[in-house]
Amino acid sequence: MGIVTLKVNGIEARVDESWTLLEALRFLGVEIPTLCHHDGLTPYGVCRLCMVEIEEKSGTKLVTSCLYPVKEGIVVKTHTDRVVKGRRMLVELMLARCPNSKTLQDLASKMGIENIRFKMKNEDCILCGLCVRLCKEQMMSGAIGFIGRGEKREVVTPFRTKSEICRNCGACMYVCPVVELPCRGYNPQGELCNSCLRVVPECADEYGQIMCYLESCGSCVKKGEMNELVKT
Amino acid sequence: MELEKIDKIIEKYSSDSSSLTSILSEIQAEYSFLPQDVLKRVAEKLEIPMTQLFGVVNFYKIFKLEPSGKYIIRVCLGTACHVKGAHGILEEFERKLKIRVGETTKDLAFTLEKVNCLGCCSLGPVAMVNDDHCGQMNAVKVNSLLKRLSSSGKY
Amino acid sequence: MKKIKNREDLERVRKRIVKKSDPNKPCITISSGTCCRAYGCQKVTKAFITEIEKQEIRDKVEVKTTGCLGFCERGPIVVIYPKGIYYQRVTIEDVSEIVTETILNGKIIDRLLYIDPVSGKKFVNGEEISFYKKQMRVLLKNNWLIDPNKIEDYIINGGYTALSNALFKMTPEQIIDTIKRSGLRGRGGAGFPTGVKWENCRRANGDLKFIVCNADEGDPGAYMDRCILEGNPHSIIEGMIIGAYAIGSHEGYIYVRHEYPLAVKNLKIALNQAREYGLLGNNILNSGFDFDIKISIGGGVFVCGESTALIASIEGKIGEPRAKYIHTVEKGLWNKPTNLNNVETWANIPIIINKGSKWFSAIGTEKSKGTKIFSLVGKINNSGLVEVPMGITLKEIVYEIGGGVLNGKKFKAIQTGGPSGGCIPEKLLDLPVDFEKLKETGSMMGSGGMIVIDEETCVVDLAKYFLNFILDESCGKCIPCREGTGRLSEIVERITSGKAKIEDLKLLEELSHVVKDFSLCGLGQTAPNPVLSTINYFRDEWETHIKNKTCPALVCKELIQYYVDNGKCNGCGVCKNLCPQKAILGELKNPHSIVQDRCISCGICHENCKDNAIILSSPRGKN
């Protein structure tokens, strides 16, 4: 197995040549948001959140890191202005489609998104395709698939009837980023919650309070600090 | 539906999935749409998962899962037709046939569709009735066309 | 039909066909592309045959149907050889006169000739007409001469010479080198150097390789590929065989859209004839090289024109694009190396092999070589297909070939590149047309649609039209294209209905850039171009829609109002009868009026009023 050298956010790193860029970045501890990626499934590249910038002779270009094979000598920047602005817009678009997803609400808060500029819809699927791939690739069933084009795209069983091959294993629900309990913030359902962002927590001066042990509290990632993080 | 007929059509083509579109088109030409049991047979014969086949017939515009009318009217909405007022033509058809684009009249006489460029841009606005092109359409021509086509004089 | 055995035999066959045909025998050719069929050319052809039988002159005159001659506006066109007399807008009523007067008595019928609307001059010979004069018809030349259903017509005009030279006189490397030197770039829109693509595919690992011809011409307002497919299918087939030999492939596909039934039919006939002649199939011309072509019919989905989606579609899957980090020349159809080129690119190949790379690269600009076919349509006097050398200015195309804007209206912009392109305003009309120059304006070459718009076309409405087109045609796989264009369209809808705030324009631009940057395939990456380019050149018009709730071109329905000019209305009642809403009231011979509450701004009254008494105003509520 060969090793390639790449430069990530100014730091040189050596990674396995068979990896995708996303694998390499996560191995190196760089936080890259994703919604359609799952380690056990074929990368699909539709949520576009994992896009990063690569420097080339002729300028920079954006690549989908979950699909992009690492190459010797590439120079990668994961949190440039262009990338971060784009990611925020993408989360805004998805949240406007599925406002009740806790995953999306949390992501929005983490990215410091404070208002949604589009009319809210009330869909319950972001069409990430995780369920379709899991059903086919891991459960060896292939009971569900995509139909339709563009805005009419949806995930269904053939003829929309009870599938003959579905074993009711529930894997599709397990992997779905939207189907979980909706966000229980202050704001009514169907709106941007932002509770985790707005809440001024009773945070002690030092790390180690009970709050800090709660999973994904996120309260310390306030807007100002978020921007600091983004810049580095 | 005679399934032997379907089998015969399938046998004419190579049995890999690249013949799928051609097979489905030929079946549709026979029945005017693709019924459920026919699709199941095709999936079985070509050994394609039903999920994939159902995705395909719901993706491509040529495939129809419901019977279509005797006359399929396709209004071209290409750019050249658009700047010459094609949307007005489509709306006139909708008003006269009392259906929305994509629908079929209850008596199965007309199906109204839109198409993104028929490639007769110099003739715009263009409509196509089955295989015939009608160029330089306007509201008056829409009316006379429908009168000519409908035997009952209903439209 | 006998199989052609080898290279020498091909020349013998050619000589035999030449000997059989008499160049001095009168020949009536009738243009029979799809456009002309809509004008009724088939009836005209039948009438000619009947008339000739009736006059018992069957052995004195030949009747031939050809492909599209390009001047679609004037169809059906009848050209009479050997003199090349060019009759336009011929109807069945003219047929017997043409046979009696022109064929038998050698007289020219004045009323069927083309009269230049500017100079008033009449033209007997088609090539003298200003529409054709400035063109450089390399690819479309044979469309005048050959019956697409007769391979003999193609052979007599030099057909398959390039193939025989390529197979017997050149190595695959030499062919690739010739194409590289010619500077030919892909005519599908992106303009990738063809020779380089071929070389990459030849070098790719694997014995099994595929050749694909992309004939899924979906760009609205572009139909040059249809014209070649219908009128000269053998030029594409010959190009593909040469390409296959150079790359080392034995199987090819032509992916053609089902909306072009005549193209499919002519292609099938051409393929069969080429097989019968031994120009396609096993051991072509006894060279030891095998190659055959299959036809794959498109499903009427625009995104399948994208190479990876097209490949998925041939494989019988949903036509979704994928990221191209591994190129199709390495892993394409069934994961095998695949070389995909557009119709016009393939048709250029035999010409380059015959005439040499030097001849080809002498035409055009520094980086864009050869000729390009454009479909010049929209609000233009001479609409049709034009083939011009790269580097010609837009002004020459619009005014010298196109004869200026329709009905003497004011030129506003020219839209190129279809839904991926943009609008180029009047101030840039001196721009020489090539891949780079068009891109610099924020538009692109695309497949070659050129839609002229005048002062009566609203650019905001046009941007909305393209967005809705993309929205309808997006495969829906990735978020920015599916959700992003949907939201773009939502914002533009607000603007055209007078409900937008000025901040919306900023959001529109911001979102446009994200869709451009973050979409998966070319469709999404270029989708915001019509919006961005019109905002760039026509910002005033966008702002007027938002701030004044006015549509200066009087197009956006929710911002305009129809009313009757009492001074002009003579009360004929035509509008009253036609109004679908029964919104027009009035007594016969007395001025009518429009009930605004009922009016849906369909414009039928305006369109049909002979006295121009229906007037439009914007913003609403003025009268």
Side-chain angles (χ1 to χ4, degrees):
Chain A
M1 252 193 289
I3 296 285
V4 291
T5 311
L6 41 105
K7 210 172 195 177
V8 179
N9 298 339
I11 300 163
E12 218 160 79
R14 287 153 59 80
V15 298
D16 192 308
E17 67 169 0
S18 68
W19 285 355
T20 63
L21 186 51
L22 181 68
E23 283 171 315
L25 292 172
R26 291 210 163 148
F27 172 76
L28 297 169
V30 185
E31 198 181 334
I32 305 286
T34 56
L35 281 168
C36 70
H37 184 80
H38 196 286
D39 280 339
L41 302 173
T42 319
Y44 198 41
V46 298
C47 76
R48 319 301 292 156
L49 288 177
C50 73
M51 289 193 91
V52 295
E53 227 169 327
I54 284 192
E55 267 176 38
E56 283 183 331
K57 270 181 236 147
S58 53
T60 61
K61 71 168 181 187
L62 287 164
V63 300
T64 324
S65 65
C66 69
L67 296 167
Y68 193 84
V70 288
K71 283 178 193 152
E72 179 62 39
I74 50 170
V75 178
V76 188
K77 285 185 176 167
T78 60
H79 283 76
T80 59
D81 225 29
R82 189 174 169 205
V83 170
V84 171
K85 272 188 187 156
R87 280 186 197 147
R88 288 168 59 117
M89 180 66 90
L90 292 174
V91 171
E92 199 179 329
L93 285 170
M94 278 187 268
L95 201 52
R97 179 186 166 91
C98 301
N100 295 326
S101 156
K102 185 171 180 334
T103 312
L104 286 174
Q105 290 273 5
D106 288 351
L107 205 54
S109 291
K110 214 168 178 183
M111 289 184 167
I113 298 168
E114 288 190 75
N115 68 321
I116 303 291
R117 291 166 288 180
F118 308 107
K119 225 169 103 191
M120 293 283 198
K121 291 180 192 169
N122 212 351
E123 302 279 339
D124 45 17
C125 175
I126 54 166
L127 302 166
C128 66
L130 281 173
C131 54
V132 174
R133 280 174 285 151
L134 188 70
C135 184
K136 189 177 165 194
E137 295 171 13
Q138 294 293 339
M139 308 323 293
M140 305 299 168
S141 174
I144 44 175
F146 283 113
I147 66 158
R149 262 174 308 108
E151 288 195 307
K152 295 196 184 93
R153 189 176 166 97
E154 52 183 324
V155 175
V156 295
T157 55
F159 307 110
R160 298 171 192 275
T161 49
K162 195 178 174 308
S163 167
E164 290 156 19
I165 42 177
C166 170
R167 300 188 298 267
N168 294 326
C169 70
C172 47
M173 285 203 278
Y174 163 77
V175 79
C176 180
V178 184
V179 79
E180 65 211 331
L181 282 175
C183 179
R184 300 257 176 99
Y186 298 147
N187 283 347
Q189 277 193 29
E191 277 178 35
L192 179 66
C193 160
N194 260 175
S195 312
C196 345
L197 185 70
R198 285 205 201 107
V199 118
V200 184
E202 322 261 309
C203 219
D205 294 336
E206 55 192 271
Y207 184 79
Q209 282 277 317
I210 182 81
M211 285 291 279
C212 309
Y213 295 113
L214 289 176
E215 200 189 341
S216 2
C217 152
S219 51
C220 56
V221 195
K222 276 182 294 187
K223 198 178 160 199
E225 292 160 26
M226 182 69 206
N227 286 347
E228 289 291 304
L229 284 174
V230 164
K231 272 175 202 152
T232 55
Chain B
M1 202 71 50
E2 314 118 67
L3 289 175
E4 297 88 59
K5 216 170 179 180
I6 307 293
D7 294 350
K8 264 195 191 138
I9 293 175
I10 296 170
E11 274 160 27
K12 282 203 284 186
Y13 294 90
S14 59
S15 62
D16 62 77
S17 58
S18 71
S19 321
L20 185 62
T21 327
S22 307
I23 293 173
L24 292 175
S25 310
E26 201 175 325
I27 295 173
Q28 186 169 281
E30 194 84 12
Y31 298 106
S32 100
F33 74 111
L34 298 167
Q36 238 187 68
D37 45 352
V38 169
L39 286 177
K40 282 184 182 158
R41 185 67 162 201
V42 174
E44 206 176 284
K45 279 268 170 186
L46 290 180
E47 291 173 18
I48 297 174
M50 196 57 231
T51 322
Q52 186 189 333
L53 184 62
F54 194 63
V56 166
V57 294
N58 274 289
F59 184 84
Y60 295 104
K61 287 185 197 167
I62 46 170
F63 298 127
K64 296 186 175 59
L65 299 176
E66 274 156 31
S68 40
K70 184 177 164 202
Y71 297 106
I72 298 174
I73 297 173
R74 295 194 280 177
V75 181
C76 177
L77 296 183
T79 322
C81 290
H82 170 77
V83 299
K84 289 187 172 176
H87 279 88
I89 306 298
L90 184 67
E91 282 163 20
E92 183 66 9
F93 272 117
E94 286 184 331
R95 277 193 295 269
K96 284 280 137 48
L97 294 172
K98 297 193 179 68
I99 51 172
R100 303 281 301 175
V101 61
E103 293 175 353
T104 302
T105 53
K106 270 189 192 141
D107 59 357
L108 290 182
F110 294 101
T111 298
L112 184 62
E113 288 176 1
K114 59 176 181 179
V115 49
N116 290 327
C117 200
L118 289 167
C120 316
C121 309
S122 303
L123 292 173
V126 181
M128 209 171 163
V129 180
N130 293 344
D131 283 336
D132 295 325
H133 294 80
C134 312
Q136 285 148 351
M137 290 298 285
N138 55 43
V140 179
K141 276 192 182 176
V142 168
N143 285 316
S144 58
L145 179 76
L146 290 180
K147 277 209 180 93
R148 186 158 56 81
L149 294 177
S150 78
S151 47
S152 60
K154 211 167 111 188
Y155 301 99
Chain C
M1 212 177 287
K2 252 173 80 183
K3 253 193 184 172
I4 300 176
K5 286 186 216 93
N6 49 41
R7 185 173 155 74
E8 291 72 33
D9 199 25
L10 175 66
E11 294 317 311
R12 269 199 296 277
V13 170
R14 200 190 312 277
K15 269 183 199 146
R16 204 162 57 224
I17 306 170
V18 172
K19 222 176 171 181
K20 261 205 247 166
S21 68
D22 173 9
N24 291 320
K25 186 174 167 186
C27 176
I28 303 167
T29 65
I30 302 133
S31 63
S32 304
T34 298
C35 294
C36 285
R37 283 182 177 223
Y39 282 122
C41 73
Q42 285 162 302
K43 281 183 193 153
V44 172
T45 310
K46 253 190 202 152
F48 268 115
I49 294 170
T50 325
E51 184 64 27
I52 285 163
E53 303 248 312
K54 206 171 97 192
Q55 304 218 20
E56 293 174 0
I57 46 168
R58 250 174 80 185
D59 44 340
K60 283 193 196 131
V61 59
E62 201 185 328
V63 177
K64 188 192 278 189
T65 53
T66 66
C68 170
L69 302 192
F71 205 176
C72 307
E73 162 86 33
R74 298 277 163 171
I77 296 162
V78 172
V79 184
I80 293 159
Y81 294 98
K83 282 188 186 149
I85 302 164
Y86 188 91
Y87 288 149
Q88 39 102 46
R89 291 190 178 153
V90 177
T91 60
I92 33 177
E93 283 79 33
D94 303 318
V95 166
S96 97
E97 194 181 347
I98 293 176
V99 174
T100 319
E101 294 298 320
T102 309
I103 302 291
L104 295 176
N105 298 336
K107 278 186 197 156
I108 286 160
I109 303 164
D110 257 20
R111 87 185 127 81
L112 294 175
L113 295 177
Y114 173 79
I115 304 168
D116 191 294
V118 183
S119 64
K121 226 176 122 188
K122 264 183 201 164
F123 294 94
V124 175
N125 198 302
E127 276 162 32
E128 300 290 311
I129 295 172
S130 56
F131 175 76
Y132 292 114
K133 214 169 176 185
K134 259 257 151 128
Q135 294 190 40
M136 184 173 181
R137 300 172 80 85
V138 177
L139 293 161
L140 294 178
K141 195 181 99 201
N142 276 345
N143 268 36
W144 287 60
L145 305 171
I146 65 174
D147 179 340
N149 291 340
K150 286 192 180 135
I151 190 171
E152 294 81 7
D153 275 14
Y154 184 65
I155 291 176
I156 202 174
N157 286 297
Y160 290 105
T161 316
L163 174 67
S164 128
N165 285 340
L167 287 178
F168 295 100
K169 285 192 170 169
M170 295 170 91
T171 62
E173 288 78 10
Q174 279 171 331
I175 297 172
I176 289 174
D177 192 53
T178 307
I179 303 300
K180 267 169 85 178
R181 276 167 198 271
S182 74
L184 175 67
R185 293 169 66 178
R187 298 296 194 238
F192 191 82
T194 307
V196 176
K197 198 189 244 184
W198 286 20
E199 192 171 47
N200 291 342
C201 194
R202 180 168 177 82
R203 283 186 187 157
N205 289 326
D207 293 334
L208 188 57
K209 288 174 186 176
F210 293 102
I211 296 282
V212 179
C213 170
N214 183 348
D216 193 50
E217 183 179 53
D219 261 16
Y223 61 105
M224 59 290 303
D225 291 350
R226 196 206 74 202
C227 174
I228 304 176
L229 289 162
E230 284 175 4
N232 196 359
H234 285 287
S235 64
I236 303 161
I237 297 170
E238 188 179 1
M240 286 180 76
I241 309 171
I242 296 170
Y245 172 67
I247 289 159
S249 159
H250 303 290
E251 220 178 312
Y253 283 88
I254 299 178
Y255 186 87
V256 55
R257 65 197 291 242
H258 84 104
E259 287 95 331
Y260 289 173
L262 184 62
V264 176
K265 186 182 147 231
N266 287 359
L267 262 180
K268 280 185 179 160
I269 293 172
L271 286 173
N272 280 337
Q273 288 179 343
R275 272 185 213 114
E276 280 171 27
Y277 263 97
L279 295 160
L280 198 62
N282 286 337
N283 196 9
I284 294 170
L285 293 177
N286 206 22
S287 65
F289 175 65
D290 308 333
F291 179 67
D292 210 338
I293 298 173
K294 278 184 196 160
I295 291 181
S296 186
I297 309 281
V301 173
F302 177 72
V303 73
C304 291
E306 201 275 347
S307 58
T308 55
L310 187 149
I311 285 170
S313 182
I314 294 180
E315 290 173 358
K317 295 180 190 145
I318 288 178
E320 275 177 8
R322 61 159 177 82
K324 286 195 236 181
Y325 301 132
I326 298 164
H327 296 290
T328 49
V329 289
E330 285 158 34
K331 275 186 178 178
L333 195 55
W334 288 295
N335 279 329
K336 304 290 178 206
T338 302
N339 183 86
L340 184 139
N341 287 120
N342 159 273
V343 167
E344 202 180 327
T345 315
W346 287 120
N348 263 305
I349 302 299
I351 293 163
I352 295 171
I353 299 293
N354 278 333
K355 300 204 173 184
S357 56
K358 263 197 189 140
W359 175 86
F360 190 84
S361 62
I363 309 166
T365 60
E366 194 201 334
K367 285 182 176 167
S368 304
K369 304 291 187 191
T371 61
K372 173 83 192 85
I373 312 175
F374 291 100
S375 68
L376 188 61
V377 292
K379 307 282 185 74
I380 185 108
N381 272 317
N382 303 336
S383 66
L385 288 180
V386 301
E387 184 178 354
V388 288
M390 295 274 193
I392 191 171
T393 64
L394 286 168
K395 201 174 234 157
E396 285 171 282
I397 296 180
V398 173
Y399 289 100
E400 293 180 35
I401 297 173
V405 180
L406 204 61
N407 302 329
K409 297 275 188 234
K410 201 176 169 305
F411 176 91
K412 188 174 198 172
I414 185 160
Q415 205 283 340
T416 70
S420 313
C423 287
I424 302 169
E426 189 166 21
K427 64 174 185 206
L428 296 175
L429 271 186
D430 283 318
L431 197 82
V433 173
D434 74 4
F435 286 103
E436 277 71 30
K437 285 282 183 323
L438 284 178
K439 210 166 176 191
E440 279 166 27
T441 68
S443 184
M444 64 184 281
M445 178 82 83
S447 57
M450 278 190 177
I451 295 108
V452 175
I453 61 172
D454 65 2
E455 54 192 327
E456 289 180 353
T457 313
C458 168
V459 291
V460 181
D461 176 72
L462 194 66
K464 181 168 93 173
Y465 161 78
F466 281 119
L467 276 178
N468 288 337
F469 177 90
I470 291 295
L471 195 57
D472 191 39
E473 295 290 358
S474 160
C475 75
K477 182 174 174 177
C478 74
I479 304 274
C481 182
R482 185 188 66 233
E483 300 296 323
T485 51
R487 298 303 184 168
L488 286 175
S489 153
E490 219 173 81
I491 300 167
V492 176
E493 188 67 53
R494 275 210 294 277
I495 295 175
T496 58
S497 56
K499 288 172 194 146
K501 295 184 203 114
I502 200 73
E503 299 89 80
D504 281 330
L505 201 58
K506 221 184 112 214
L507 179 61
L508 192 67
E509 284 179 277
E510 193 188 328
L511 179 55
S512 290
H513 286 295
V514 173
V515 174
K516 220 174 147 101
D517 280 349
F518 283 76
S519 287
L520 177 68
C521 79
L523 180 97
Q525 284 160 9
T526 55
N529 283 352
V531 172
L532 291 172
S533 88
T534 51
I535 294 182
N536 186 11
Y537 297 119
F538 300 94
R539 186 176 277 273
D540 281 0
E541 201 170 327
W542 282 86
E543 287 181 355
T544 310
H545 276 75
I546 301 170
K547 287 181 188 159
N548 306 343
K549 316 221 179 295
T550 305
C551 175
L554 301 172
V555 173
C556 297
K557 274 187 178 178
E558 288 173 70
L559 302 178
I560 55 166
Q561 195 166 35
Y562 288 84
Y563 62 95
V564 180
D565 181 345
N566 284 348
K568 280 186 183 166
C569 178
N570 63 9
C572 70
V574 168
C575 57
K576 192 180 162 187
N577 283 337
L578 288 171
C579 179
Q581 290 296 101
K582 308 220 178 321
I584 301 179
L585 304 176
E587 300 285 318
L588 257 185
K589 295 191 180 165
N590 283 313
H592 286 38
S593 63
I594 298 175
V595 183
Q596 295 298 341
D597 297 351
R598 283 193 215 155
C599 178
I600 52 167
S601 300
C602 69
I604 293 176
C605 53
H606 176 69
E607 208 177 280
N608 286 287
C609 180
K610 290 193 181 71
D611 301 309
N612 298 323
I614 310 267
I615 302 174
L616 281 134
S617 76
S618 181
R620 294 185 83 130
K622 231 164 91 185
N623 288 280

